[in-house]
Amino acid sequence: MKKYSIKEKILVILLPIITVTVLYFAAVFVANNFTLPPCLTYEYFGIYRPGCGMTRSVLALINGDILLSLRNNALIIIGILLLVALYLEFAFKVFGKRLWFPIHSNRFIICALIFVAVYSVLRNFLPFIAPV
C-alpha cells in the first residue's frame, strides 16, 4: 500500500471543503445573475427527463430545503451521497485504513441504473414526485 505524505493528507482533508465552497458560490452566482431556460423536453413533449428539476433541486439544497430538493430531483441527493461515500473510502485509504462501500459492485450499479430508469418513468405519472 502506498504511503501518502503529510501534504497529500492535508490536501485530502481540504479538497472537499474547497470544492463545496466553490460550488456553493458558483451556484449562488448563477441563481442571482441568470435566468435559466425552461426544460425544452417538458415544454414540447410534456415529459420529465431524469435531469429535469436538477437546477431547482440544487438551489433548494443551497437554501437548506432538503425536502424540496428531493421533490425537484432526488438524483441530486443520491449523487451527493455516492460522492461522499467515494470520498470517505479514498480518505480512509490515504490515512491507512480500509473502508469499503458496496458501490463498486456490479449488483449495486445495475440496481442504481434500474432505480434511475424507474424513477424517471414514475415521475411522469405520479405528481407528488414530479418537479415543482
Side-chain angles (χ1 to χ4, degrees):
M1 186 145 104
K2 179 184 175 194
K3 291 283 272 181
Y4 291 90
S5 71
I6 296 296
K7 289 180 184 178
E8 290 171 322
K9 291 178 180 180
I10 291 171
L11 183 62
V12 166
I13 293 170
L14 292 178
L15 185 63
I17 297 167
I18 294 168
T19 302
V20 168
T21 303
V22 168
L23 290 176
Y24 172 81
F25 285 113
V28 169
F29 177 78
V30 168
N32 290 334
N33 296 305
F34 296 99
T35 302
L36 300 171
C39 176
L40 295 177
T41 305
Y42 184 74
E43 206 170 277
Y44 290 126
F45 302 111
I47 60 172
Y48 295 113
R49 299 172 298 113
C52 282
M54 281 195 172
T55 304
R56 289 185 299 253
S57 179
V58 169
L59 294 175
L61 196 57
I62 286 172
N63 289 319
D65 195 343
I66 295 173
L67 293 178
L68 181 60
S69 179
L70 282 168
R71 169 83 192 265
N72 282 318
N73 198 319
L75 299 178
I76 288 291
I77 302 287
I78 293 168
I80 290 171
L81 292 174
L82 289 174
L83 287 173
V84 167
L86 285 171
Y87 167 74
L88 287 174
E89 193 175 68
F90 177 69
F92 271 75
K93 179 182 173 186
V94 167
F95 286 95
K97 304 290 183 194
R98 180 149 166 82
L99 181 67
W100 183 82
F101 290 103
I103 57 179
H104 301 291
S105 71
N106 289 338
R107 182 176 292 163
F108 180 86
I109 294 169
I110 290 169
C111 289
L113 292 173
I114 290 170
F115 173 79
V116 169
V118 169
Y119 173 75
S120 299
V121 171
L122 286 181
R123 68 192 312 219
N124 287 293
F125 298 106
L126 302 174
F128 61 89
I129 61 172
V132 180

